[in-house]
Amino acid sequence: MTEDQSDSTLSNAENPERFTGLKLGKLKHAAAGTQAVIVSAEHVFSEMNALRGMKALLRLNQKGGYDCPSCAWPDPDDHRSPIAEYCENGAKAVAEEATTKRLTASFFAQHSVEELSRLNDYEIGKKGRIAEPLYLPAGATHYQPLSWEEAFTKISYHLKSLASPDEAVFYTSGRTSNEAAFLYQLFARQYGTNNLPDCSNMCHESSGVALNESLGIGKGSVTLDDFYKAEVIMILGQNPGTNHPRMLTALQKAKENGAKIISINPLPETGLMGFNNPQTVKGILGIKSRLTDLFLQVKINGDIALIKALIKILLDEEAKHPGTVFDNDFIRDHVKGYEEYVNHLKKYHLSDLMACCGIPEKQLKETADILRNSKRIIACWAMGLTQHKNAVNTIRELVNLLLLKGSIGKPGSGTCPVRGHSNVQGDRTMGIYEKPSEKFLDSIKNVFGFEPPRKHGYDTVDCIHAMYSGKAKVFIAMGGNFLSATPDTLYTADALRKCSLTVQISTKLNRSHLVHGREAIILPTYGRSDSDMLNGEQQFVSCENSMGVVQLSRGNLKPVSEHLLSEPVIVCRMAKALFGDASPVNWDSFLQHYDHIRVAIEKTIPGFENYNEKVRKLGGFYLPNSSREGKFNTLSGKAELGIAELEPVALKPGELLMMTIRSHDQFNTTIYGLNDRYRGVYNERRVIFLNEKDAASLGFKQGDVVDLFSNASGRERVAHKFIVIPYSIPEQCAATYFPEANVLVPVESVADKSNTPVSKSVVIHLRRHTPATSA
């Protein structure tokens, strides 16, 4: 059986009959610079006037301002630039969110769902902000307006009609604030389900599982200040120049302080190599700061073999010079499983590990020499590690390296999973999790006086299967673009269509509004930059960044419509419509002032004592972090070394291992433009990066058009019409942009333990495109 994307509602920047005109340019050798400033300004001022644009940018990431709706990189604790404490992608995110383009009822009366579906994701996103609540009745072709009361009544009716609360799914995007996330999980659990999947299930879930197993806490341990004290910073499976550009400033400062940077990635990303800081004279003049000292171009999914090889070399050096390589005191006092791990590692031959990772012995030993003589090591990673079948084991292997060096719980060292969306870590802290601890549920019971459900709920992959099989019938999404973010696009689309109701709480139009249940509702909400007035008083929300800092976020722009409601208000009004006046939770109090929400959080979740007082302090406050303090909340009370076998992906002749990646004009599923200038790709997204030798051996050359196929569970999936670009990537590896290639990611292919889709390990083969193949 072959599945293709002939369904017009899934064209998804992927309309197989329409290229936008590929142009190839030179690869950039340094990120940012004056061009980033120019591009930022172009994006912002094309969406709003100069006054609104400057007003938005000058408060972005400032103390007392609003948190960037893009990535979760932390703000400096002390000095922040009064002009530009943001990056190019942050400016693009604000341009998307703060646009003055509005979609009212008249727009939807003129354009049917089917017509809008023919647009690609970039075109859909550029339409503007949704200005009022919308309803798509069963069988209707056009969204139509409805009042907020009507919307809440319909949602309540559907939820009350279900045979079990577990037939409802409550999805959360990482953009959601602490206050909204806390209320959302409280609403779902009072309703009676733990079906609380979130975007973390698709990105750093593997990190949380691995860190919990090894260190007893699912968060990273470092602070921004640790970067400035580190001797070595390892960056694995991450492209900071595009995905976390403000990280480059921290790396630049670390380099100035003497740190060595080791970058490990299948692609030689521009942001890993050099940085033109646009806030310095050198950066403006184009004099780049070199970042990476040593680049290891690892094969896709070769990271665990590479790390084992490095540790094996270090182990041999420790045997020759006892006590000079590993931190034996730290291992003795704080680490469990050393002897077992050493015995496990001895059975591997360096040559076999080299073959698995693709890194020559000379580079491995050069890297090991840097690590050998260093005690303060930070390891950073992102999706390049987390979206593989063996992701949890790979991350644990990386933690093993830090533990053997004693590089956890000390200044200048530790773990740094670099989160994507700006409050994805905070949402988990607030209880957005399908497998809550008994301790958390007991706290809910004690504070609010109802018995929360104890059975674990659906994560993202589980909820897709549940909707597809008819076990879940109502899908409510707090933000995000679920269809474009998830794997196996056709399967997920069919799952959503089988729902009786889909509800999207959104700022802008996206693909998930166009692939819907029998009935669909869109509830328009504020963005981060919007001023949130409630009962005549401006409110603020709060977010937690990648390093566990909680700070307030207060928008300063006039909302584009008077018919918007904030996420906390939407949740409260849904709850009031569903539970009525007999609810043990006082939802009315939360509608009076957001301080009441934070009081409830303080009573429920450890670490938030005096929440309202601390969050009002400029810069916010750090949450407790046991591994940062050198304490390990595992069953043994010690950090635990992980032991894992290699599981290389076996490829047949003609097969490639594909990873999905972002372009530079993209953040998650939001497409800002059609250029990927650091990689030299312009005006096109349907491309596949191949090793030049692979392209030749398969009979392809630059510019050829191919179809991509993957096979799993008896289904052949196909994505049509991708343009071949020979590129610097290891042999038998390939890279494509998501969401265009998500159709190839099998929903059944997930990481062990974390259940994260393996979007970085998709076995594919190529065929030359012919018109008949997409007919």
Side-chain angles (χ1 to χ4, degrees):
M1 177 182 178
T2 299
E3 295 185 349
D4 63 29
Q5 295 187 287
S6 57
D7 186 337
S8 65
T9 59
L10 301 178
S11 57
N12 200 18
E14 326 143 319
N15 190 327
E17 304 309 324
R18 178 159 60 102
F19 285 128
T20 47
L22 171 65
K23 297 178 182 178
L24 296 178
K26 294 181 180 179
L27 275 64
K28 303 296 182 183
H29 299 293
T34 55
Q35 189 172 11
V37 177
I38 294 169
V39 170
S40 299
E42 288 174 347
H43 277 266
V44 171
F45 300 125
S46 68
E47 297 291 342
M48 65 199 80
N49 63 42
L51 180 61
R52 182 177 173 91
M54 290 307 300
K55 187 176 180 181
L57 293 175
L58 289 173
R59 297 306 296 157
L60 178 57
N61 292 323
Q62 296 295 337
K63 294 179 179 179
Y66 66 95
D67 205 39
C68 181
S70 186
C71 84
W73 189 253
D75 305 311
D77 288 336
D78 44 21
H79 175 73
R80 300 186 190 181
S81 168
I83 300 174
E85 190 55 62
Y86 54 87
C87 65
E88 176 186 342
N89 269 13
K92 290 174 181 176
V94 169
E96 288 285 307
E97 177 186 280
T99 180
T100 51
K101 298 173 186 174
R102 302 176 352 131
L103 302 182
T104 62
S106 62
F107 172 87
F108 291 97
Q110 295 171 19
H111 302 284
S112 69
V113 170
E114 194 276 335
E115 178 187 347
L116 292 170
S117 298
R118 295 196 207 108
L119 303 175
N120 61 42
D121 278 14
Y122 168 65
E123 292 165 333
I124 291 171
K126 286 299 180 183
K127 289 298 179 185
R129 291 282 296 270
I130 300 170
E132 58 188 302
L134 299 164
Y135 173 55
L136 187 69
T141 58
H142 293 66
Y143 275 101
Q144 58 193 45
L146 81 168
S147 70
W148 280 103
E149 286 302 327
E150 290 171 326
F152 296 133
T153 299
K154 287 182 182 295
I155 295 168
S156 175
Y157 170 79
H158 277 272
L159 291 175
K160 289 178 179 178
S161 298
L162 298 178
S164 164
D166 288 328
E167 292 182 345
V169 171
F170 299 89
Y171 175 77
T172 312
S173 160
R175 190 190 65 84
T176 305
S177 67
N178 281 353
E179 290 76 6
F182 181 80
L183 294 182
Y184 195 50
Q185 64 81 29
L186 186 64
F187 171 65
R189 292 189 166 109
Q190 185 180 352
Y191 176 61
T193 186
N194 284 314
N195 290 345
L196 284 156
D198 72 331
C199 58
S200 184
N201 296 150
M202 294 180 282
C203 57
H204 269 291
E205 196 68 52
S206 299
S207 299
V209 173
L211 292 172
N212 264 309
E213 289 184 355
S214 292
L215 306 176
I217 185 171
K219 301 180 181 182
S221 66
V222 300
T223 67
L224 200 54
D225 189 59
D226 286 318
F227 275 75
Y228 312 143
K229 299 174 181 176
E231 295 175 292
V232 176
I233 300 171
M234 302 178 71
I235 304 171
L236 301 91
Q238 186 196 357
N239 178 12
T242 288
N243 301 332
H244 311 90
R246 286 199 301 153
M247 181 178 178
L248 301 181
T249 304
L251 295 177
Q252 182 185 46
K253 186 172 180 179
K255 285 283 295 180
E256 291 170 353
N257 291 348
K260 298 284 187 181
I261 296 177
I262 301 169
S263 297
I264 302 170
N265 202 58
L267 297 175
E269 303 289 17
T270 297
L272 293 172
M273 304 306 169
F275 175 45
N276 288 336
N277 189 336
Q279 297 200 42
T280 66
V281 174
K282 286 185 177 180
I284 293 172
L285 295 175
I287 303 172
K288 72 176 182 180
S289 294
R290 181 185 175 191
L291 294 181
T292 291
D293 294 279
L294 190 58
F295 173 60
L296 307 181
Q297 191 166 18
V298 67
K299 292 181 181 179
I300 293 175
N301 197 36
D303 304 271
I304 189 170
L306 187 155
I307 300 164
K308 282 183 184 292
L310 292 175
I311 297 175
K312 186 172 181 64
I313 294 170
L314 293 172
L315 181 63
D316 291 343
E317 290 298 311
E318 173 68 19
K320 295 176 187 176
H321 309 284
T324 64
V325 180
F326 291 163
D327 189 333
N328 291 320
D329 290 340
F330 182 86
I331 293 170
R332 181 192 65 238
D333 296 338
H334 299 291
V335 177
K336 179 186 176 184
Y338 178 75
E339 295 298 332
E340 295 90 335
Y341 178 75
V342 168
N343 291 333
H344 158 77
L345 200 61
K346 285 179 178 178
K347 71 181 183 181
Y348 288 102
H349 296 286
L350 187 61
S351 58
D352 294 332
L353 297 172
M354 289 164 51
C356 283
C357 69
I359 304 300
E361 184 174 3
K362 180 181 178 182
Q363 274 197 306
L364 288 172
K365 290 191 172 179
E366 187 178 354
T367 307
D369 283 344
I370 294 174
L371 296 172
R372 173 187 174 179
N373 298 312
S374 304
K375 296 181 179 180
R376 300 190 304 277
I377 304 169
I378 291 175
C380 309
W381 69 92
M383 304 304 97
L385 293 196
T386 67
Q387 293 179 331
H388 301 277
K389 185 177 186 297
N390 61 349
V392 171
N393 286 338
T394 298
I395 296 164
R396 292 201 68 185
E397 198 73 51
L398 182 58
V399 175
N400 288 348
L401 172 59
L402 296 177
L403 290 173
L404 294 172
K405 292 294 297 180
S407 288
I408 290 191
K410 300 176 181 177
S413 63
T415 57
C416 184
V418 184
R419 309 280 178 172
H421 227 146
S422 60
N423 198 42
V424 64
Q425 184 162 299
D427 290 349
R428 183 57 56 88
T429 302
M430 292 296 103
I432 300 292
Y433 189 35
E434 73 280 358
K435 293 179 283 191
S437 68
E438 289 296 313
K439 183 177 180 180
F440 179 81
L441 295 177
D442 288 342
S443 184
I444 291 285
K445 179 181 178 180
N446 293 335
V447 173
F448 296 102
F450 69 87
E451 180 62 60
R454 302 283 168 165
K455 184 178 77 170
H456 288 173
Y458 299 137
D459 64 14
T460 295
V461 168
D462 291 336
C463 88
I464 294 171
H465 289 308
M467 290 187 291
Y468 189 89
S469 66
K471 294 180 180 178
K473 297 179 173 64
V474 172
F475 176 83
I476 303 177
M478 177 70 79
N481 182 355
F482 186 80
L483 179 64
S484 294
T486 46
D488 222 333
T489 310
L490 284 178
Y491 183 89
T492 301
D494 285 344
L496 287 167
R497 290 188 181 112
K498 292 183 179 190
C499 292
S500 60
L501 175 70
T502 50
V503 179
Q504 305 286 340
I505 302 169
S506 307
T507 56
K508 300 188 73 178
L509 191 67
N510 65 52
R511 181 72 53 190
S512 297
H513 302 132
L514 308 176
V515 178
H516 50 77
R518 188 165 61 250
E519 297 176 57
I521 293 174
I522 304 174
L523 303 179
T525 191
Y526 293 146
R528 288 271 178 82
S529 55
D530 289 326
S531 177
D532 182 355
M533 298 296 295
L534 182 65
N535 299 323
E537 185 175 348
Q538 187 179 26
Q539 306 293 312
F540 67 83
V541 293
S542 55
C543 303
E544 178 186 347
N545 65 35
S546 270
M547 296 179 184
V549 177
V550 178
Q551 61 182 356
L552 67 80
S553 177
R554 182 187 286 115
N556 68 330
L557 300 182
K558 181 181 179 180
V560 296
S561 169
E562 62 183 12
H563 301 298
L564 309 183
L565 292 179
S566 72
E567 290 175 334
V569 169
I570 289 172
V571 176
C572 288
R573 290 185 63 177
M574 282 198 301
K576 284 175 62 63
L578 180 62
F579 303 127
D581 296 330
S583 170
V585 178
N586 187 355
W587 293 98
D588 283 322
S589 71
F590 302 143
L591 284 169
Q592 294 171 8
H593 199 286
Y594 294 174
D595 277 359
H596 298 309
I597 306 172
R598 287 183 283 271
V599 169
I601 294 171
E602 177 182 333
K603 292 178 180 178
T604 308
I605 302 174
F608 287 86
E609 296 77 13
N610 302 313
Y611 193 2
N612 277 310
E613 177 185 343
K614 290 192 295 186
V615 78
R616 282 178 164 85
K617 294 180 178 178
L618 295 182
F621 63 96
Y622 280 90
L623 290 174
N625 187 301
S626 54
S627 64
R628 183 180 296 156
E629 300 162 6
K631 302 174 184 176
F632 306 107
N633 295 324
T634 61
L635 291 176
S636 66
K638 291 186 174 185
E640 301 192 0
L641 293 169
I643 296 177
E645 303 295 338
L646 291 183
E647 299 179 80
V649 179
L651 296 175
K652 299 175 184 177
E655 289 184 335
L656 303 167
L657 195 60
M658 182 194 80
M659 63 179 182
T660 62
I661 59 175
R662 298 178 190 170
S663 78
H664 190 65
D665 268 357
Q666 175 179 1
F667 182 76
N668 292 346
T669 60
T670 303
I671 313 300
Y672 301 134
L674 300 177
N675 298 333
D676 193 2
R677 73 173 187 272
Y678 291 167
R679 299 187 183 110
V681 178
Y682 296 87
N683 205 42
E684 186 56 72
R685 291 183 52 82
R686 297 188 69 78
V687 300
I688 180 167
F689 299 99
L690 298 178
N691 180 278
E692 189 172 11
K693 292 181 180 178
D694 288 331
S697 68
L698 294 171
F700 303 122
K701 64 182 184 302
Q702 181 173 296
D704 282 350
V705 180
V706 297
D707 297 330
L708 318 182
F709 296 82
S710 71
N711 295 274
S713 304
R715 290 190 286 142
E716 184 179 66
R717 299 157 176 83
V718 57
H720 290 295
K721 293 187 70 173
F722 281 68
I723 302 172
V724 171
I725 298 180
Y727 201 77
S728 178
I729 189 172
E731 291 182 51
Q732 292 188 288
C733 297
T736 54
Y737 300 132
F738 75 85
E740 288 81 356
N742 283 359
V743 66
L744 300 170
V745 182
V747 72
E748 303 90 352
S749 297
V750 295
D752 296 334
K753 297 183 181 180
S754 70
N755 214 34
T756 295
V758 294
S759 300
K760 296 289 189 289
S761 285
V762 183
V763 178
I764 65 168
H765 61 277
L766 314 183
R767 298 177 196 164
R768 189 175 300 278
H769 176 78
T770 60
T773 62
S774 60

